[in-house]
Amino acid sequence: MRHDPIAAAAVIGTAEEAEVTGADIVAARLAAAGATHAFGIPGGEVLALIDALERAGIRFLLAKHENAAGFMAEGLWHMTGALPVLVATLGPGVANAVNAVANASQDRVPLLFITGCVDQALAESYTHQVFDHQAVLQPLVKASFRAAPGTEDLVVAKAITLARRGRPGPVHIDLPISVAEGSVPRRAPPPLPSLGPAVPADLAEACRLVARAGKPLVIAGLDLVKEDGSAALERFIARTGAPLLTTYKAKGLLPETDPRVIGGVGLSPKADAIVRPLVEAADLIVLAGYDPIEMRQGWRNPWPADKPVIDIVAEALPHGMHASTLLLEGDVDIALSRLADALPAERSAWPGGEPARVRARFREAFAPLPAWGPHAVFETLRAVAPAGTVATADSGAHRILLSQMWDCDGPLQLLQSTGLCTMGCALPLATGAALGSGRPVLCFVGDAGLEMVLGELATLRDLRLPVVIVALVDESLGLIALKQRQMGLGRVGVDFGSTDFAAVAQAMGGHGVTIADRKTLERETIAAFAREGFTLLACRIDAAQYEGAF
């Protein structure tokens, strides 16, 4: 059904003599705010809402698990900016979604999580599937509301505003059955509060620090991605001559073929060791939307306390991971643009040429290897994938190496969970991205992560989405096994049996093939991108090849 916010808003128009349900009010407000899809699993307590969503032009999509549904909503939001909506019924539906809500909090996703619940009076004596949703979710969301009769539109408007304001994040709405199904007069919705840009108050000191820096360094993170700050970042880099490091989430803010881009850092000890001398030599570090939530423990206090550091953040968040000289709170892209404007002209920096040498060492460290293995898989796929391909990566050893090898020529071309680093995210992220992007979508996942979400292959089948899934099959939790070896511990709880993923894909309505060499991978990938349905390429590798790779 085509989404039409104006038509949706008319559901709660001005004809006072007619009535609609509370669910209609909620659905119309979501549609007017830009929601195009909602994801979840129906239950009796949310049936009125799901019906209202469809009539408001918001397509409800059935997933096989609420956790996956949350990641589908995120994937769609990354591609289209549509308000992400997750719907769950009471009790187990809410509990199943907790991981996706926690991920939305740590990865800055403005997820609207709407749950059905029984009326308060009934809950006093009826306990089947009943627990306090708000108490469970409170540590994970920016706010939690319980709608009451007559407050439906107000609650949703507040939730949308909070979800998008400052650092985006999830907001929860508990919708009692009587509120969703009850009749209310039609009424025109009040406008959403303005979300004008938050401009840092005083940039004078920041301008002085930037103007006198001869070796500036920029580290960009996920808050700049959410503001689509590529243009502002490019202007600032050009004016200052600073090289760029990014977190994994911020890969592609500038094309990684750009010689000013060193690479992604944060989870690879090898990468971090290579860039450490650059961090030490810099006489000014500008943190552009950088949040250390994406970084491993090695990024605690990565520079001395007296290093000049400008920390530009969407919203101040005490974390204790590093010190800064100057904190600027507000829209990161506006701050970067104004700092760039304050400089007289583009200038050269780093007269000793250190960034170029570090970039060369970085590239050499993660160069493809000739033997078959994860390096060969990533190199082959990068060469074959069409221009503009959106890739997703699950958590595990493969993600760390992939994030070093996979070049992005634009933002949001490698989607992953970087704050929570949760397994099982890549396939549903790819599903949501394929719904909204109109671009080729490639999903990288380990065999353990894939087995967590095998049911979502049926979701791909039902939605007829041509996602190409690349499973790295090594029959182990490779990253955990690697950590066990490094700690001198026994190998326990990391090995599992073999699954015929090609057969599973065929049984679930897709195409599947097992692969163990470059030539076959290249041929099958080309065919997969031309296929209408989903394809699963099960690439058998040896987990030992990750040793020393990152």
Side-chain angles (χ1 to χ4, degrees):
M1 184 180 295
R2 185 177 66 86
H3 169 64
D4 186 344
I6 296 176
V11 172
I12 46 177
T14 57
E16 296 292 339
E17 69 279 7
E19 290 191 335
V20 293
T21 67
D24 285 320
I25 301 286
V26 171
R29 167 56 76 188
L30 294 173
T36 58
H37 296 72
F39 301 82
I41 298 177
E45 294 74 21
V46 293
L47 292 182
L49 174 62
I50 291 172
D51 182 66
L53 291 171
E54 288 281 335
R55 287 185 284 105
I58 300 173
R59 185 182 176 194
F60 181 83
L61 295 183
L62 172 66
K64 297 299 180 285
H65 194 282
E66 288 85 355
N67 183 53
F71 283 106
M72 291 176 194
E74 178 185 345
L76 178 69
W77 169 66
H78 282 310
M79 294 297 100
T80 69
L83 183 71
V85 179
L86 172 62
V87 175
T89 193
L90 86 173
V94 175
N96 279 348
V98 164
N99 180 76
V101 176
N103 181 82
S105 175
Q106 298 207 4
D107 270 31
R108 317 304 186 210
V109 182
L111 181 71
L112 263 290
F113 182 34
I114 306 177
T115 59
C117 64
V118 299
D119 300 323
Q120 188 59 46
L122 180 59
E124 294 300 327
S125 59
Y126 179 78
T127 57
H128 176 66
Q129 293 186 311
V130 173
F131 60 80
D132 189 337
H133 297 167
Q134 292 183 287
V136 170
L137 294 167
Q138 188 275 331
L140 304 175
V141 296
K142 296 181 76 173
S144 178
F145 300 97
R146 183 182 177 94
T151 71
E152 301 90 348
D153 188 76
L154 175 62
V155 163
V156 179
K158 289 166 65 176
I160 293 167
T161 300
L162 284 171
R164 290 171 166 171
R165 173 173 290 162
R167 276 197 168 105
V171 176
H172 168 238
I173 299 173
D174 230 1
L175 186 62
I177 297 170
S178 64
V179 177
E181 297 179 357
S183 296
V184 295
R186 289 182 183 267
R187 56 184 181 271
L192 284 174
S194 173
L195 282 176
V199 182
D202 186 4
L203 297 177
E205 177 59 22
C207 290
R208 285 192 290 270
L209 289 171
V210 172
R212 65 173 177 246
K215 294 183 177 181
L217 172 67
V218 176
I219 305 176
L222 62 84
D223 280 343
L224 189 56
V225 178
K226 297 301 177 288
E227 295 177 7
D228 190 20
S230 294
L233 179 63
E234 201 287 328
R235 290 183 64 239
F236 184 79
I237 292 288
R239 287 292 183 97
T240 60
L244 175 67
L245 299 175
T246 73
T247 63
Y248 285 0
K249 201 81 167 188
K251 281 172 66 70
L253 276 171
L254 294 188
E256 292 185 286
T257 53
D258 189 317
R260 299 169 297 183
V261 178
I262 307 299
V265 295
L267 292 181
S268 164
K270 180 189 286 190
D272 296 347
I274 293 170
V275 304
R276 179 71 63 188
L278 206 61
V279 174
E280 293 172 351
D283 60 7
L284 173 67
I285 298 174
V286 178
L287 305 177
Y290 164 80
D291 185 338
I293 198 170
E294 298 188 71
M295 316 302 266
R296 64 186 184 90
Q297 289 187 23
W299 279 81
R300 292 174 66 193
N301 300 313
W303 44 77
D306 59 354
K307 174 85 71 174
V309 176
I310 302 173
D311 193 1
I312 311 173
V313 296
E315 186 176 307
L317 181 68
H319 48 65
M321 280 282 284
H322 63 74
S324 62
T325 308
L326 182 64
L327 178 68
L328 300 177
E329 186 175 9
D331 282 26
V332 182
D333 59 335
I334 291 177
L336 287 176
S337 293
R338 294 193 175 183
L339 287 172
D341 290 340
L343 294 172
E346 294 185 10
R347 57 181 175 156
S348 60
W350 294 85
E354 297 96 327
R357 291 195 293 274
V358 170
R359 174 181 164 83
R361 289 198 295 274
F362 200 95
R363 294 282 165 148
E364 181 181 356
F366 300 104
L369 301 178
W372 171 253
H375 290 79
V377 172
F378 302 149
E379 180 192 24
T380 302
L381 268 295
R382 180 65 280 185
V384 173
T389 293
V390 175
T392 67
D394 215 67
S395 287
H398 74 278
R399 178 175 81 101
I400 301 176
L401 180 59
L402 174 71
S403 293
Q404 305 305 145
M405 294 184 63
W406 193 263
D407 279 344
C408 300
D409 56 15
L412 296 174
Q413 291 189 6
L414 182 58
L415 306 181
Q416 49 190 301
S417 171
T418 58
L420 197 62
C421 290
T422 187
M423 290 178 68
C425 69
L427 181 55
L429 275 174
T431 302
L435 273 170
S437 69
R439 294 154 64 183
V441 177
L442 183 59
C443 167
F444 290 99
V445 61
D447 45 358
L450 180 57
E451 288 184 342
M452 289 182 174
V453 291
L454 276 177
E456 303 306 335
L457 294 177
T459 305
L460 283 180
R461 173 201 64 209
D462 295 344
L463 295 176
R464 295 180 175 86
L465 295 174
V467 172
V468 180
I469 305 156
V470 181
L472 285 300
V473 180
D474 55 22
E475 296 163 17
S476 70
L477 296 173
L479 183 58
I480 305 304
L482 177 61
K483 291 181 178 180
Q484 287 174 330
R485 290 196 299 275
Q486 292 171 342
M487 297 171 65
L489 301 176
R491 189 180 177 99
V492 178
V494 294
D495 297 303
F496 46 87
S498 175
T499 295
D500 187 344
F501 289 108
V504 171
Q506 298 282 5
M508 299 188 79
H511 180 82
V513 60
T514 301
I515 298 170
D517 64 87
R518 289 174 181 264
K519 184 175 291 187
T520 304
L521 178 59
E522 180 178 355
R523 182 183 68 247
E524 292 293 338
T525 302
I526 293 171
F529 278 117
R531 192 171 286 122
E532 290 187 359
F534 78 85
T535 300
L536 199 163
L537 307 176
C539 297
R540 298 198 62 85
I541 61 166
D542 182 355
Q545 293 170 305
Y546 289 121
E547 188 78 52
F550 50 79

